[in-house]
Amino acid sequence: MSRGARVRRWVILLVPLLLAACADDDGAERRRALGERPGLDAAMRVADPRRGGHLFARCAACHTIGPGAGDRNGPNLFGVMGRPVASNSPRYGYTAALRSVGGTWTPETMDRWIADPAKVAPGTRMTIAGLPDPLDRADLIAYLKSQSAERHSTR
Ligand code: HEC
């Protein structure tokens, strides 16, 4: 094989790999496009459920996400978007703090919750510092949305 052919073969092999690496970005590109303090709507428009799935590692110590999976320290989260707050896992013993919040899990309420749980429900048992980055939160919300029965049945 000629040198030129060998080089071409490497290029053909490497380009898809490089493209895949770029698609799996850390959000830097989108963050630049969104500017300093993006609103939730703007962040949700570019949210990436795939990256959200990676970020779910920060939740997985306490939460399962699979349909019918058990509770850990926190309740199972399959299908949580759109559900009334403190109801996703009927067998889970929610605190009065979270039960008294009311409402449903919309992108807005979820965004506030994962930014600072103790601010939304003072006294909650979900004692994490929260995710300060708006794009991280939007990606996670997109991922939570994707993990639901409605989503599976419409595919
Ligand atoms: C250290 C353990 C822990 C971690 C980490 C954690 N959670 Fe939780 N989570 C809990 C606990 C405990 C509750 C129940 C809180 C209560 O009853 O006050 C909860 C409740 C929730 C609820 C409410 C569910 C419902 O039925 O209303 C959501 C949504 C949630 N967590 C999302 C997340 C997300 C998203 C992450 C990752 C960013 C996360 N949690 C990380 C422990 C945790």
Side-chain angles (χ1 to χ4, degrees):
M1 193 188 294
S2 75
R3 206 192 135 145
R6 262 205 307 274
V7 169
R8 266 200 304 280
R9 199 163 69 168
W10 272 108
V11 169
I12 288 165
L13 281 170
L14 282 175
V15 165
L17 274 178
L18 285 173
L19 286 176
C22 294
D24 192 18
D25 71 327
D26 60 357
E29 284 277 319
R30 289 179 295 147
R31 224 172 251 117
R32 255 197 307 279
L34 282 169
E36 272 291 297
R37 295 167 64 95
L40 177 60
D41 286 347
M44 285 307 296
R45 270 197 293 277
V46 298
D48 175 2
R50 209 168 140 260
R51 181 166 172 273
H54 296 307
L55 290 169
F56 192 77
R58 300 192 198 172
C59 323
C62 302
H63 294 286
T64 58
I65 187 79
D71 300 327
R72 292 197 174 135
N73 180 10
N76 170 261
L77 294 180
F78 181 76
V80 72
M81 294 303 295
R83 298 265 309 165
V85 171
S87 77
N88 200 58
S89 180
R91 69 198 157 221
Y92 183 82
Y94 293 94
T95 59
L98 189 59
R99 278 189 278 117
S100 65
V101 168
T104 58
W105 289 119
T106 62
E108 288 73 24
T109 52
M110 190 61 78
D111 186 57
R112 281 199 293 275
W113 173 245
I114 52 186
D116 191 352
K119 197 167 162 196
V120 172
T124 177
R125 207 181 299 128
M126 178 158 143
T127 50
I128 63 166
L131 277 64
D133 185 277
L135 189 62
D136 285 353
R137 298 198 299 272
D139 285 352
L140 248 176
I141 292 167
Y143 174 69
L144 291 175
K145 273 188 172 176
S146 76
Q147 302 301 303
S148 76
E150 292 86 60
R151 180 62 182 241
H152 285 290
S153 64
T154 53
R155 275 190 156 182

